């Protein structure tokens, strides 16, 4: 089953609206109006509109890094999937490990947010991944299974056709330590097997991205693995040259 590669940039709390627009302009002029590889950047909330402006006429898409589950209401400081859609976003990252670690994100709240994103028709990028302690104590599969089944709990399989999953081992995020291609492929294959239990053969169409210290020099090897369908890139997505090099390497993978 051939799945279209998705290279997504997670800018986290970096880049001003102007600096982000400058990065997107460079991406847009190289990527052009159509691209084999799907390209996405997820700026800060305040950077979304200038990134969209800079992406105009190109295949570069713009997403968000989180959303609230209610469509509207008295939730000071929050943004709904509906508001993000109205702002022009195409994707929303959900359950990133930094949100789980610092902002009390749980399987239950990830599931609520996932339902909200699906309700709008935006594409969810569901992040999962184990800590080093969990891996070293032999809990890798237990953790990944819990995160996948928890996020998808109660959601009808036919609503999940747009789902993108990002496997991001926590110990590889922002550390410069990348999972070996074998470790990554093994985890991706396991995640796909869990998805198959829930979605049946539709799991073969779900793209599973790898995240955690993806750089221009390791992207090609990672993308060459059977179950790795793209990348969620943090640090190396902040510079257009690096991100473009990852996009171009992924075409060879
Ligand atoms: P990194 O971040 O590429 O800087 O390791 C990845 C992520 O957190 O999505």
């Amino acid at each position: 089953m051939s799945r279209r590669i998705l290279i997504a940039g997670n800018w986290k709390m970096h880049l001003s609206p102007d600096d982000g627009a400058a990065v997107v302009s460079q991406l847009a002029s190289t990527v052009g109006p159509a691209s084999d590889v799907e390209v996405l950047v997820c700026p800060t909330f305040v950077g979304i509109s200038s990134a969209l402006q800079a992406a105009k006429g190109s295949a570069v898409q713009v997403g968000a890094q989180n959303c609230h589950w209610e469509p509207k209401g008295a939730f000071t400081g929050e943004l709904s999937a509906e508001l993000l859609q109205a702002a022009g976003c195409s994707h929303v990252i959900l359950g990133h490990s930094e949100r789980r670690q610092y902002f009390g994100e749980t399987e239950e709240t990830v599931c609520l947010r996932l339902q909200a994103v699906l309700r709008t028709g935006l594409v969810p990028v569901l992040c999962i991944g184990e800590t080093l302690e969990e891996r070293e104590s032999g809990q890798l599969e237990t953790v990944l299974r819990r995160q996948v089944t928890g996020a998808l709990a109660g959601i009808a399989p036919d609503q999940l056709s747009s789902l993108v999953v990002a496997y991001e081992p926590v110990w590889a995020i922002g550390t410069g330590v990348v999972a070996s291609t074998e470790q990554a492929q093994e985890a991706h294959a396991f995640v796909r097997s869990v998805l198959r239990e829930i979605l049946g053969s539709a799991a073969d169409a779900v793209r599973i991205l790898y995240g955690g210290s993806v750089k221009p020099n390791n992207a090609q090897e990672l993308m060459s693995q059977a179950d790795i369908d793209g990348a969620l890139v943090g640090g190396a997505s902040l510079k257009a040259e690096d991100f473009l090099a990852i996009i171009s390497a992924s075409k060879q993978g």
Side-chain angles (χ1 to χ4, degrees):
M1 147 86 53
S2 85
R3 292 174 290 265
R4 189 167 173 220
I5 296 275
L6 169 61
I7 304 296
N10 173 12
W11 289 357
K12 310 190 180 186
M13 202 168 71
H14 295 292
L15 299 180
S16 69
D18 284 352
D19 291 344
V23 170
V24 174
S25 295
Q26 281 187 68
L27 298 177
S29 61
T30 304
V31 170
S35 168
D36 301 345
V37 172
E38 208 178 326
V39 179
L40 169 72
V41 293
C42 298
T44 66
F45 288 136
V46 296
I48 288 170
S49 133
S50 58
L52 276 163
Q53 198 62 31
K56 251 196 188 127
S58 80
V60 177
Q61 303 171 91
V62 177
Q65 300 171 18
N66 184 31
C67 72
H68 193 267
W69 52 85
E70 291 293 338
K72 61 182 176 183
F75 300 102
T76 303
E78 292 293 321
L79 283 170
S80 64
E82 280 78 0
L83 287 170
L84 295 170
Q85 183 177 43
C89 287
S90 54
H91 296 64
V92 186
I93 296 173
L94 295 172
H96 190 280
S97 64
E98 286 151 16
R99 297 219 54 88
R100 295 180 195 253
Q101 194 179 344
Y102 306 130
F103 303 102
E105 194 79 79
T106 63
E107 260 97 61
E108 290 73 29
T109 56
V110 173
C111 180
L112 289 169
R113 292 179 213 276
L114 176 58
Q115 292 175 54
V117 172
L118 295 169
R119 177 176 74 216
T120 59
L122 298 183
V123 177
V125 181
L126 167 67
C127 300
I128 57 170
E130 82 289 358
T131 63
L132 189 56
E133 200 184 3
E134 289 165 340
R135 174 174 277 268
E136 287 179 343
S137 60
Q139 295 177 72
L140 172 66
E141 297 195 347
T142 312
V143 170
L144 296 182
R145 176 182 292 282
R146 191 186 65 223
Q147 291 176 337
V148 172
T149 53
L152 271 44
I155 303 177
D158 65 357
Q159 288 182 10
L160 288 162
S161 56
S162 67
L163 178 70
V164 175
V165 175
Y167 167 64
E168 300 201 300
V170 177
W171 45 273
I173 295 178
T175 57
V177 180
V178 64
S180 70
T181 42
E182 294 74 25
Q183 285 173 322
Q185 166 57 29
E186 210 173 271
H188 282 229
F190 176 73
V191 170
R192 197 174 305 283
S193 75
V194 175
L195 289 171
R196 221 171 261 136
E197 291 167 19
I198 303 169
L199 304 176
S201 58
D204 291 335
V206 175
R207 286 174 296 176
I208 307 177
L209 317 182
Y210 170 80
S213 298
V214 175
K215 307 286 176 210
N217 64 4
N218 58 30
Q220 184 179 344
E221 203 185 326
L222 285 163
M223 296 312 126
S224 69
Q225 302 299 304
D227 288 289
I228 303 184
D229 310 311
L232 183 55
V233 186
S237 70
L238 300 173
K239 283 203 186 118
E241 309 80 65
D242 289 347
F243 198 52
L244 285 166
I246 290 171
I247 293 165
S248 133
S250 75
K251 293 180 187 167
Q252 273 112 58

